[in-house]
């Protein structure tokens, strides 16, 4: 999203990519921030309330693997989730239930992240059809409104603009960015 997307004027945002796993990254001052140990942006590991109310990791609630697991429990082959990310067709109540649980978990993750860093935006993207992403973002906005965030100015929650290939493009661009882009704490030429 930072390099290939349309981040607009946002220079500080938290980015969630929902795919086989839930993960993402942190952008501060227009640059990817991974922290001194590489843990910054390990959003899939973020603790959130699970379905039973007990803490669990975001990855165990919001990943598409959880949707596939729910479909399998109903005897439905969900392998098309991985082969047809542009069109899933009519999944039914399992998709609705996944959107509710994933949006709640993502809402908590956004509020928690915002209590540490003052983000301008929270960007949601992933391996899913555009209409599903749109529904997820709207559900996250609704879920955030139900969380006590007194004292916080929460970021605007919006859809990503890169889509299903964001993870691959981002991963492929890291070596180039590391080698050729000027680092924030360096002086002089490239």
């Amino acid at each position: 999203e930072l390099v290939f997307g349309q981040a607009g004027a946002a220079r500080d945002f938290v980015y969630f990519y929902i795919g086989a796993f839930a993960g993402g990254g942190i952008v501060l001052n227009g640059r990817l921030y991974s922290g001194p140990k590489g843990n910054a942006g390990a959003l899939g590991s973020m603790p959130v309330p699970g379905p039973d109310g007990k803490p669990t990791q975001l990855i165990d609630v919001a990943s598409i693997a959880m949707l596939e697991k729910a479909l399998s429990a109903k005897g439905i082959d969900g392998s098309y989730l991985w082969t047809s990310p542009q069109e899933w067709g009519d999944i039914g109540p399992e998709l609705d239930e996944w959107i509710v649980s994933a949006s709640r978990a993502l809402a908590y993750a956004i509020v928690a992240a915002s209590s540490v860093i003052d983000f301008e935006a929270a960007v949601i993207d992933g391996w899913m059809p555009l209409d599903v992403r749109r529904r997820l973002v709207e559900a996250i906005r609704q879920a955030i409104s139900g969380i006590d965030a007194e004292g916080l100015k929460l970021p605007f929650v919006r859809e990503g603009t890169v889509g299903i290939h964001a993870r691959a493009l981002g991963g492929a661009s890291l070596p180039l960015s590391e080698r050729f882009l000027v680092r924030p704490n360096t002086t002089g030429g490239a």
Side-chain angles (χ1 to χ4, degrees):
E1 189 70 17
L2 175 64
V3 176
F4 301 105
Q6 298 171 6
R11 304 219 1 105
D12 301 303
F13 60 92
V14 59
Y15 176 85
F16 293 89
Y17 184 88
I18 308 303
F21 304 107
I26 293 174
V27 174
L28 296 176
N29 199 28
R31 295 191 173 274
L32 183 64
Y33 179 74
S34 59
K37 296 181 182 175
N39 288 331
L43 302 174
S45 300
M46 186 174 269
V48 297
D52 57 1
K54 294 180 182 176
T56 189
Q57 290 189 336
L58 180 65
I59 193 172
D60 294 328
V61 181
S63 66
I64 294 172
M66 296 298 102
L67 174 57
E68 182 182 34
K69 184 177 177 182
L71 291 170
S72 293
K74 300 283 185 170
I76 302 167
D77 178 15
S79 62
Y80 64 90
L81 298 173
W82 312 114
T83 58
S84 301
Q86 294 91 349
E87 178 55 50
W88 286 350
D90 183 22
I91 294 178
E94 290 76 24
L95 176 62
D96 298 335
E97 292 165 13
W98 177 79
I99 287 175
V100 168
S101 62
S103 66
R104 286 180 183 157
L106 285 159
Y108 273 95
I110 290 167
V111 171
S114 299
S115 70
V116 177
I117 297 175
D118 190 11
F119 293 109
E120 298 168 75
V123 180
I124 311 297
D125 215 340
W127 187 266
M128 65 188 82
L130 296 179
D131 63 314
V132 173
R133 184 179 68 192
R134 194 168 296 117
R135 286 180 60 198
L136 180 61
V137 167
E138 183 54 39
I140 292 167
R141 290 176 182 154
Q142 291 294 323
I144 284 177
S145 70
I147 297 173
D148 182 2
E150 186 174 346
L152 295 175
K153 185 173 186 323
L154 296 177
F156 176 69
V157 179
R158 70 168 183 80
E159 293 181 59
T161 59
V162 179
I164 63 173
H165 300 297
R167 186 172 155 201
L169 287 171
S173 72
L174 287 176
L176 294 172
S177 296
E178 185 66 27
R179 177 149 169 87
F180 296 111
L181 295 181
V182 177
R183 291 176 186 85
N185 295 328
T186 61
T187 58

